[in-house]
Amino acid sequence: MKKVLILSRKGDEHLDFVIKYLDKRNVMRYDPFEMINGVTIDYTFRNGITNTFYKNHSLKTIESVWLRRPTTISEEVIPVYKDSRQYAKSALNKHVEMLTYALSDALWVSQPEAIKKASVKLVQLKIAAKLGFNIPDTLFAASSRQAEAFIKKHTRCIAKSQSMYYPKNHILFAKIISTKDNLNFENLHLDPFTFQEYIEPAEEIRVTVVGKKVFASIVGGKEIDGVKSFFRDWRYSHINATFFAKETQLSVADTKRCADLVKELGLKFGAIDLIKDKKGKTWFLEIN
């Protein structure tokens, strides 16, 4: 029986929304962090043929791999003496990275190299602009002077962390800020942020692209518009259980741009955030 291998870290709450619709007999879920607890991956190369083993069982039946949440093994959690952790981290991550090449005949959604490049927001914006998307004025800032000047220029902005990880026991959302907030950016060089000019949205649109197929939904929820929460992030509606999504149709031009963006980035799958402003103009924000 052919199977799908899903690579993601523990605590990936979004994965549970999808995996419940899959036939669990055909799905394997693996977190590379499990390696430090003895859940092993091994590779053999004999007579020109590579074979991969998970917990000593062959993965010959793996037909496709969903790289859901790329991750590396953190030095701090490795159960070895402190002066050996850097050494162990390098060895463990090299070993896990080999999985990409050991299962090279499987369909990867998507290849790790493509995901790594596509995760760079500046790359996303440059390609999206080339394809004809409207892009809000954007600043990736470590300088307090640059941040203050940008906010002064636009009066209202969206601020979002560049980190892929949350601080312990915290969740980070995109937030509306303004010159009235009198924010202190003194240590911004230790936590660089993304700032974008604020575009007043009429609709927020999440576009899912799988290969050449494009699916669009209007998404939203209560108190994501900055009136009380000051968040401009529809994910917040999952916290207060007011999230909604309804199917919508993009223009032919925007549909093609979304499919072309995923292709240009070398991806098999992408989740694109667009907004439509009060005048009906569509803006590209990012692709996940």
Side-chain angles (χ1 to χ4, degrees):
M1 182 181 293
K2 299 297 184 182
K3 292 187 176 182
V4 176
L5 175 63
I6 302 175
L7 297 177
S8 188
R9 68 175 76 110
K10 287 183 178 179
D12 181 1
E13 67 282 357
H14 296 96
L15 182 55
D16 293 332
F17 289 108
V18 177
I19 207 166
K20 66 182 180 181
Y21 294 104
L22 304 178
D23 185 344
K24 291 182 174 58
R25 296 171 300 173
N26 299 333
V27 174
M28 277 184 57
R29 186 173 178 175
Y30 178 59
D31 176 4
F33 270 93
E34 292 181 311
M35 185 82 72
I36 66 173
N37 297 318
V39 181
T40 56
I41 288 279
D42 302 281
Y43 318 97
T44 64
F45 187 78
R46 296 190 183 100
N47 300 319
I49 298 173
T50 303
N51 201 356
T52 305
F53 296 86
Y54 171 64
K55 295 195 291 189
N56 300 314
H57 296 287
S58 175
L59 295 184
K60 285 183 178 179
T61 57
I62 296 297
E63 189 174 46
S64 57
V65 182
W66 181 18
L67 189 52
R68 155 65 199 156
R69 186 66 68 89
T71 187
T72 57
I73 294 173
S74 173
E75 186 175 313
E76 291 75 20
V77 300
I78 302 174
V80 298
Y81 290 117
K82 189 174 181 179
D83 59 358
S84 298
R85 286 178 186 166
Q86 188 176 20
Y87 164 81
K89 174 186 174 182
S90 177
L92 286 163
N93 283 319
K94 282 288 184 183
H95 190 76
V96 171
E97 287 170 8
M98 206 178 300
L99 188 61
T100 309
Y101 305 97
L103 297 177
S104 58
D105 291 336
L107 172 65
W108 281 74
V109 183
S110 297
Q111 284 289 339
E113 292 87 352
I115 292 177
K116 184 177 180 179
K117 179 180 178 181
S119 68
V120 180
K121 302 299 182 185
L122 186 58
V123 172
Q124 298 178 14
L125 299 185
K126 289 175 71 173
I127 295 177
K130 184 181 75 171
L131 293 172
F133 276 114
N134 300 301
I135 312 292
D137 193 6
T138 306
L139 170 68
F140 303 97
S143 162
S144 59
R145 181 179 296 180
Q146 291 281 352
E148 289 165 358
F150 187 86
I151 295 164
K152 184 177 180 180
K153 175 183 177 182
H154 294 289
T155 308
R156 298 180 79 195
C157 300
I158 298 292
K160 187 175 181 180
S161 171
Q162 294 191 44
S163 177
M164 295 178 63
Y165 302 93
Y166 298 146
K168 190 173 182 179
N169 300 323
H170 289 77
I171 298 176
L172 302 178
F173 293 111
K175 191 172 183 179
I176 300 173
I177 61 174
S178 73
T179 50
K180 296 179 181 179
D181 296 326
N182 295 317
L183 296 174
N184 184 346
F185 296 106
E186 183 179 352
N187 290 313
L188 190 62
H189 62 283
L190 299 176
D191 183 15
F193 256 62
T194 301
F195 300 92
Q196 281 191 321
E197 66 172 307
Y198 179 71
I199 307 294
E200 186 70 39
E203 294 176 345
E204 299 209 33
I205 303 171
R206 169 54 71 101
V207 183
T208 302
V209 181
V210 183
K212 296 180 180 179
K213 295 183 178 180
V214 179
F215 309 90
S217 297
I218 296 172
V219 294
K222 187 179 180 182
E223 288 308 332
I224 63 166
D225 58 3
V227 175
K228 294 180 181 178
S229 68
F230 296 101
F231 295 127
R232 182 65 262 174
D233 195 321
W234 57 264
R235 294 175 302 168
Y236 181 73
S237 60
H238 286 294
I239 303 296
N240 58 27
T242 63
F243 174 78
F244 70 84
K246 59 180 180 179
E247 184 180 1
T248 190
Q249 295 294 323
L250 299 176
S251 69
V252 173
D254 282 338
T255 299
K256 185 177 186 305
R257 288 187 185 106
C258 288
D260 287 348
L261 177 63
V262 171
K263 183 179 179 181
E264 286 264 348
L265 289 169
L267 303 172
K268 301 293 184 184
F269 161 86
I272 299 168
D273 287 327
L274 306 176
I275 58 172
K276 186 175 288 186
D277 67 20
K278 303 291 186 179
K279 297 180 180 179
K281 187 175 181 179
T282 301
W283 297 80
F284 173 87
L285 299 181
E286 65 178 352
I287 178 171
N288 298 286

